[in-house]
Amino acid sequence: MAIDPTRFCINRKIAPRLTLEAFFQLVQRLGLSKVELRNDMQSGKVTDDLSVAQLRALADKYHIEIVTINALYPFNRADEALLAKADALLQEAQAIGAKALVMCPLNEGIEISPQQTLEALQVLAPRFEQYGIQGLVEPLGFPVSSLRSAVQTQKLIQQAKVPFKVLLDTFHHHLYENAENEFPQEIDINHIGLVHLSGVEDTRPTAQLTDEERIMLSDRDVLNSVAQVKRLEMLGYKGVYAFEPFSSELETWNIAEIERQIRYSIELLQA
C-alpha cells in the first residue's frame, strides 16, 4: 500500500510518560502532525497542567493538528451527569482546536437498547453542532459492551438523522464475532470518520482479550490490522489512521522505542 503519511495520527496513549511538549516533539520528529489527546491520562486532564493558551502555543510551535479528544463515556446513557460531561469536553475541544470528540458506549455488562442509543445520539447532536465539533461513535467489541457492531452503529446514526460518523477500531472489530459477516457487505465507507489501529500477539481466545494485550502492529498480529487497512483502502477509505495501543507495557518504552514501534508499524502498512 501507499498511504499518504499525512493520514497517520498518534494517540497519546502510546506515550503515557511523556509531557505534552515531549509528545508533540516526538510526533514532529516522525514527520507526522496529527495527534489524539485523552482525558484518561495520569493527570486526569486533556491538557495536563497547561492552560489552553499554552497548549495551543505548543501545537502551533510543533505544527500539530489535534484530531480528537478521547472520550465521552458512556455516551449512550445520556443522563444529566453525562450531558454535563459532554458540554465540558465539547467546550474544551473547541478551545484547544480539536476537530472531533470520540464517543464510547457503556461497557459494563449492562444492556442499553438500540432505541436508547438512538435517542442519546439525538440528544447529543445539537450540543456537538453548537460547538462545531465532529462526533465519532466508537463501537466496543468487548462481550460486555452495549454497542459492539460498526454496522449497527452506522445504522443507528442514520436512523437518528445526526451528522456523527463511525470510529472503526481494528481491535474491537476483531473482538465482535459477527463483524466479518456484516462489515464487507453492509458498511458504508463514507460514514467512517476515523480508524484506530493496534496489534495483538497474545493467542488466548478472542473473547478473553482486553486492552492490556494491545500493542503496536507486527507480523504476528492476530487482529490482522494490516489486512483490515488494506481492505479499507480497497473500499475507498481516505481518512485518518490513528495508532492507539493500550498495554501497560507502554509505560516501559523510552522515546527511542516509541519511535521505533511507530516507524515499524507504518512500514508494515506501506509494504
Side-chain angles (χ1 to χ4, degrees):
M1 289 181 286
I3 299 172
D4 187 329
T6 62
R7 294 172 61 196
F8 291 124
C9 173
I10 309 299
N11 190 296
R12 197 183 174 199
K13 199 73 174 177
I14 198 173
R17 294 193 296 124
L18 295 189
T19 65
L20 277 161
E21 182 166 19
F23 176 59
F24 288 174
Q25 289 170 335
L26 166 80
V27 173
Q28 187 185 58
R29 279 197 306 274
L30 289 161
L32 305 176
S33 61
K34 292 180 170 65
V35 303
E36 288 191 282
L37 299 185
R38 308 186 64 89
N39 61 346
D40 62 353
M41 301 299 286
Q42 192 169 6
S43 71
K45 302 174 186 175
V46 174
T47 61
D48 293 348
D49 57 351
L50 300 178
S51 68
V52 167
Q54 287 172 321
L55 180 71
R56 293 199 74 138
L58 285 177
D60 288 343
K61 179 178 179 180
Y62 298 107
H63 309 291
I64 295 295
E65 176 186 343
I66 302 171
V67 176
T68 75
I69 293 175
N70 284 239
L72 177 63
Y73 173 88
F75 85 85
N76 55 348
R77 190 167 65 190
D79 55 18
E80 289 305 312
L82 185 281
L83 295 178
K85 190 187 298 183
D87 287 339
L89 280 169
L90 287 165
Q91 186 175 359
E92 186 163 29
Q94 184 187 62
I96 68 173
K99 304 290 191 298
L101 176 61
V102 177
M103 308 156 66
C104 293
L106 188 65
N107 185 46
E108 298 170 17
I110 299 170
E111 183 178 353
I112 293 185
S113 71
Q115 182 61 30
Q116 287 174 288
T117 297
L118 184 151
E119 289 169 1
L121 293 170
Q122 292 174 327
V123 168
L124 287 164
R127 286 172 154 83
F128 279 76
E129 184 177 4
Q130 176 187 343
Y131 288 98
I133 301 297
Q134 173 70 58
L136 298 175
V137 185
E138 179 175 20
L140 303 179
F142 298 119
V144 296
S145 170
S146 61
L147 183 63
R148 304 180 67 206
S149 163
V151 168
Q152 183 188 27
T153 301
Q154 173 186 286
K155 289 177 179 176
L156 288 172
I157 290 170
Q158 291 171 329
Q159 290 164 7
K161 296 182 170 58
V162 294
F164 297 147
K165 292 194 172 185
V166 176
L167 195 166
L168 182 70
D169 186 300
T170 58
F171 173 75
H172 290 293
H173 178 89
H174 179 77
L175 261 55
Y176 174 51
E177 60 276 359
N178 291 324
E180 282 304 306
N181 296 328
E182 300 174 355
F183 188 88
Q185 291 77 28
E186 299 184 61
I187 200 71
D188 182 345
I189 216 73
N190 297 311
H191 285 119
I192 297 177
L194 181 67
V195 176
H196 276 168
L197 304 178
S198 56
V200 171
E201 295 178 1
D202 195 299
T203 57
R204 74 185 69 186
T206 301
Q208 295 178 19
L209 292 174
T210 70
D211 280 332
E212 179 59 28
E213 285 72 63
R214 296 174 65 179
I215 51 175
M216 290 292 278
L217 277 57
S218 75
D219 54 10
R220 299 183 300 281
D221 175 24
V222 300
L223 309 180
N224 293 313
S225 286
V226 172
Q228 289 194 49
V229 169
K230 284 183 178 178
R231 178 169 64 186
L232 289 167
E233 291 293 296
M234 286 176 58
L235 290 171
Y237 178 67
K238 302 294 184 190
V240 171
Y241 293 104
F243 294 104
E244 190 200 39
F246 252 85
S247 173
S248 61
E249 178 185 328
L250 308 175
E251 298 269 0
T252 68
W253 290 1
N254 60 25
I255 291 177
E257 180 63 12
I258 296 170
E259 288 191 30
R260 190 190 72 78
Q261 290 276 353
I262 293 170
R263 290 185 193 280
Y264 184 61
S265 291
I266 290 174
E267 283 175 20
L268 288 173
L269 290 167
Q270 300 286 35

